[in-house]
């Protein structure tokens, strides 16, 4: 996502510039195997879109949670994230990634009182990971786990 682009802005830009690059699943989805089943179905069709699931159940069975996944599974999606055209998937994308890796952006200091991560603060007995849509991808997984979580 280029510069200070939000996740929502990136997904909207992806939908606009590369419609097949984003799949939205709005029906209720279990955190156990269903997300990976949708991704596997798309993969078998030769598609690797970013996917936004808008109604995933948490581990307590409560629906309504969002999960964004596969955000960088396709070079066209990466190009859009960097503010490029989805057609820029060759050497120009490689050069842009290299240029950015060599020139990191300065970080931005946010006042702790205004930090979005502090919108919901839980402490003590109120902390419960079961409130989150933690996925289980495969039958032989030891349980539900976070991969690279991104809040949508």
């Amino acid at each position: 996502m280029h510069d200070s682009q939000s996740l929502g802005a990136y997904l909207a830009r992806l939908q606009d510039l590369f419609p097949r690059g984003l799949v939205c699943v709005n029906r209720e989805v279990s955190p156990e195997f269903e997300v990976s089943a949708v991704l596997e179905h798309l993969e078998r069709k030769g598609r690797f879109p970013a996917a936004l699931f808008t109604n995933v159940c948490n581990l307590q069975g409560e629906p309504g949670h969002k999960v964004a996944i596969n955000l960088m599974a396709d070079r066209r999606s990466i190009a859009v994230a960097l503010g490029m055209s989805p057609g820029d998937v060759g050497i120009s994308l490689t050069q842009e990634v290299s240029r950015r890796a060599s020139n990191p952006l300065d970080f931005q200091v946010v006042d702790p009182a205004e930090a979005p991560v502090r919108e919901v603060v839980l402490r003590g007995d109120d902390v419960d990971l079961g409130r989150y849509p933690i996925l289980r991808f495969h039958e032989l997984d030891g349980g539900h786990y976070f991969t690279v979580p991104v809040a949508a």
Side-chain angles (χ1 to χ4, degrees), residues 60-71:
Q60 297 171 349
E62 301 164 335
H65 301 274
K66 294 181 181 179
V67 172
I69 196 164
N70 260 20
L71 299 178

Side-chain angles (χ1 to χ4, degrees), residues 122-133:
L122 302 173
R123 291 187 171 88
D125 291 339
D126 292 333
V127 175
D128 180 1
L129 289 178
R131 298 169 81 169
Y132 295 96

Side-chain angles (χ1 to χ4, degrees), residues 51-117:
L52 176 62
F53 294 82
T54 62
N55 197 15
V56 181
C57 293
N58 64 14
L59 296 185
Q60 297 171 349
E62 301 164 335
H65 301 274
K66 294 181 181 179
V67 172
I69 196 164
N70 260 20
L71 299 178
M72 301 290 152
D74 185 292
R75 291 177 66 86
R76 292 167 289 193
S77 299
I78 296 169
V80 171
L82 295 177
M84 302 170 70
S85 163
D88 292 330
V89 295
I91 191 70
S92 60
L93 177 60
T94 302
Q95 290 171 334
E96 182 63 11
V97 169
S98 178
R99 183 189 71 76
R100 289 178 186 229
S102 299
N103 299 290
L105 296 174
D106 290 332
F107 61 88
Q108 181 181 14
V109 177
V110 176
D111 184 314
E114 297 175 18
V117 298

